[in-house]
């Protein structure tokens, strides 16, 4: 008797579960294939921190690094990194190709991020994104671009040119509105030029748990009963109100005109969904955010827990009045949510840049060790 995939009920509700992790041994041992075929996994995301742990902290990449250096010993450390990363991403993309085809080209994506050092440089972001797109050569690739102020015009340009884009490092509803508007602008420009829309896909990666980490500290510093009662509730409220904006836009004439031309919705992707506070339920940022036109990308431990926790109800649109009330209470308490999300964006850019530089440093050390051993 064939058992249904444990993630299928969420797929039926319109939410795709992706894995926020990649490492080369997942291909050799068949674990990624099993996740796709048995669990119902629908996609994968990566970032500099994930690749830093995979490449710098294991010997899994030494053979490939040695081969790359034998092919061209003059490659920069960054060129070597992208060679290794692209090989991993291609293997993952090929495994997800059946999902991509079965979904009508709306799922089965794997994300590869531009260098985080380019987060404040629009033109360089566009150039690198295009270069990565050409090198990978897979239709189910998504290029990750951070949603900084400088990233927004790059995102619009890349979408207009037909690339799939994962817009990352979103923390605020205001910035999310700008991202969704850029997506619609790009599609409208293509439509005006008679270019097809159906093949273009995008997700807006809205970070969740980090918002609670930052706000909980402020609420505890306040110490009032109203403040303490909000701990662990603000991140979900923020995410639910972002989703309410998506629903509002999708009900409007502007989106309906694009949908009639076969455009795909830009789905909200919940990122940073592992619970950082051990006092909170481990699936706090999963079971509260189930709904159509969404993706939840999970680190391995959260993913494994979800497999054993059946979810079968839409929850994302619950308690919207309470969500609005939570953010209003923050304002009344004098906690500036915009300042907090701006800080989180900057910290995110910095953290990914530091991970990227650490990774390149470890590649430099490894290439020296391999040269000395040869």
């Amino acid at each position: 008797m064939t058992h249904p995939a444990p993630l299928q009920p969420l797929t039926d509700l319109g939410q795709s579960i992706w894995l926020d992790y990649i490492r080369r041994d997942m291909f050799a041992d068949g674990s990624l294939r099993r996740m796709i075929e048995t669990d119902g996994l629908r996609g994968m995301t990566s970032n500099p921190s994930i690749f830093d742990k995979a490449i710098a902290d294991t010997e899994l990449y030494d053979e490939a690094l040695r081969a790359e250096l034998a092919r061209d010993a003059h490659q920069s450390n960054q060129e070597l990194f992208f060679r290794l990363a692209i090989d991993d991403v291609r293997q993952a993309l090929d495994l997800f190709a059946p999902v991509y085809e079965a979904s009508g080209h709306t799922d089965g994506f794997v994300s590869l991020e531009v260098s985080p050092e380019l987060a404040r440089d629009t033109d360089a972001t566009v150039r690198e994104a295009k270069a990565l797109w050409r090198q990978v050569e897979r239709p189910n690739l998504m290029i990750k671009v951070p949603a900084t102020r400088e990233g927004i015009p790059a995102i619009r340009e890349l979408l207009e040119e037909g690339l799939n884009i994962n817009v990352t490092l979103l923390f605020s509803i205001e910035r999310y509105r700008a991202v969704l508007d850029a997506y619609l602008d790009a599609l409208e420009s293509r439509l005006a030029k008679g270019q097809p829309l159906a093949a273009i896909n995008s997700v807006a990666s809205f970070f969740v748990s980090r918002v609670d980490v930052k706000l909980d500290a402020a609420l505890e510093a306040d110490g009032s009963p109203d403040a303490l009662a909000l701990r662990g509730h603000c991140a979900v409220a923020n995410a639910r109100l972002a989703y309410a904006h998506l629903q509002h836009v999708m009900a409007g004439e502007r989106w309906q005109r694009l949908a009639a031309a076969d455009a795909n919705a830009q789905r909200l992707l919940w990122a940073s969904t592992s619970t950082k506070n051990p006092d909170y339920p481990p699936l706090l940022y999963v079971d509260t955010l189930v709904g159509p036109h969404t993706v939840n990308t999970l680190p391995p431990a959260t993913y494994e827990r979800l497999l054993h926790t059946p979810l079968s109800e839409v929850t994302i649109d619950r308690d919207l009045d309470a969500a609005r009330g939570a953010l209003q209470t923050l304002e009344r308490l004098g906690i500036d949510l915009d300042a907090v999300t701006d800080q989180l964006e900057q910290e995110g850019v910095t953290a990914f840049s530091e991970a990227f530089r650490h990774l390149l440093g470890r590649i430099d050390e490894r290439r020296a060790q391999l040269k000395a051993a040869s």
Side-chain angles (χ1 to χ4, degrees):
M1 180 177 177
T2 302
H3 295 284
L7 300 177
Q8 187 61 44
L10 289 172
T11 303
D12 293 341
L13 293 173
Q15 180 172 85
S16 295
I17 297 299
W18 293 2
L19 186 69
D20 193 28
Y21 184 77
I22 191 168
R23 209 170 77 167
R24 185 153 295 190
D25 52 348
M26 300 177 72
F27 313 119
D29 66 14
S31 59
L32 181 57
R33 182 182 295 276
R34 286 194 298 274
M35 290 178 184
I36 296 168
E37 296 179 355
T38 303
D39 300 346
L41 183 66
R42 308 280 292 175
M44 176 177 273
T45 49
S46 66
N47 62 48
S49 296
I50 289 172
F51 273 118
D52 183 29
K53 291 181 177 68
I55 296 176
D57 295 347
T58 74
E59 297 179 354
L60 293 169
Y61 295 81
D62 283 2
E63 182 179 347
L65 185 58
R66 190 180 293 110
E68 279 297 330
L69 290 170
R71 186 183 65 81
D72 181 1
H74 300 293
Q75 294 182 74
S76 69
N77 294 325
Q78 182 163 318
E79 288 171 329
L80 284 169
F81 159 67
F82 276 119
R83 288 276 187 179
L84 299 175
I86 286 170
D87 189 42
D88 276 10
V89 168
R90 277 180 175 159
Q91 291 187 72
L93 286 164
D94 290 345
L95 286 173
F96 278 106
V99 178
Y100 179 69
E101 294 300 329
S103 67
H105 302 170
T106 59
D107 221 337
F109 295 98
V110 180
S111 298
L112 176 63
E113 189 158 352
V114 297
S115 166
E117 306 279 45
L118 306 180
R120 306 295 179 187
D121 189 328
T122 302
D123 293 340
T125 294
V126 170
R127 286 194 298 272
E128 184 160 284
K130 290 180 180 178
L132 292 173
W133 181 262
R134 289 193 298 268
Q135 290 173 64
V136 174
E137 289 186 308
R138 300 291 191 278
N140 51 331
L141 173 69
M142 277 193 173
I143 300 292
K144 286 179 83 171
V145 178
T148 57
R149 287 182 176 82
E150 298 83 356
I152 300 294
I155 289 160
R156 186 197 183 286
E157 180 176 343
L158 293 166
L159 286 165
E160 185 176 345
E161 295 204 15
L163 279 67
N164 302 319
I165 302 297
N166 178 338
V167 184
T168 190
L169 282 180
L170 273 166
F171 297 94
S172 77
I173 297 171
E174 180 182 3
R175 185 60 58 82
Y176 168 59
R177 290 181 181 184
V179 165
L180 183 52
D181 197 53
Y183 181 65
L184 299 179
D185 282 347
L187 294 182
E188 287 168 342
S189 181
R190 287 182 63 86
L191 187 61
K193 293 183 288 188
Q195 296 174 326
L197 307 184
I200 298 173
N201 278 274
S202 179
V203 294
S205 294
F206 202 86
F207 282 53
V208 189
S209 67
R210 296 186 196 183
V211 174
D212 268 345
V213 170
K214 192 72 70 175
L215 287 175
D216 280 0
L219 292 166
E220 288 167 5
D222 179 285
S224 67
D226 284 352
L228 297 178
L230 274 186
R231 290 176 300 176
H233 294 286
C234 295
V236 169
N238 196 43
R240 284 177 168 175
L241 293 177
Y243 183 79
H245 177 66
L246 173 62
Q247 286 187 306
H248 173 74
V249 169
M250 291 185 70
E253 181 181 343
R254 185 182 185 192
W255 169 249
Q256 293 300 320
R257 186 166 55 250
L258 292 167
D262 295 325
N264 298 302
Q266 184 188 56
R267 291 178 292 173
L268 267 166
L269 180 150
W270 312 124
S272 181
T273 51
S274 61
T275 306
K276 306 299 189 289
N277 187 328
D279 294 332
Y280 294 165
L283 294 180
L284 174 63
Y285 307 115
V286 182
D287 59 19
T288 56
L289 299 175
V290 176
H293 305 297
T294 63
V295 176
N296 202 323
T297 187
L298 308 177
T302 309
Y303 176 83
E304 287 298 322
R305 186 173 287 271
L306 175 61
L307 291 180
H308 300 95
T309 310
L311 300 178
S312 58
E313 293 182 327
V314 171
T315 58
I316 184 65
D317 54 1
R318 291 180 181 173
D319 302 323
L320 290 182
D321 288 341
R324 295 185 186 95
L327 301 195
Q328 289 166 1
T329 300
L330 283 179
E331 184 177 0
R332 180 169 54 80
L333 294 171
I335 298 173
D336 188 341
L337 180 57
D338 290 337
V340 168
T341 55
D342 285 347
Q343 184 180 4
L344 284 166
E345 178 190 296
Q346 182 55 55
E347 289 175 355
V349 170
T350 299
F352 283 161
S353 294
E354 289 175 351
F356 193 66
R357 288 192 293 270
H358 178 264
L359 169 60
L360 297 184
R362 291 297 296 273
I363 288 176
D364 191 57
E365 293 173 7
R366 196 69 59 82
R367 73 190 295 174
Q369 292 167 358
L370 292 174
K371 182 178 180 181
S374 62

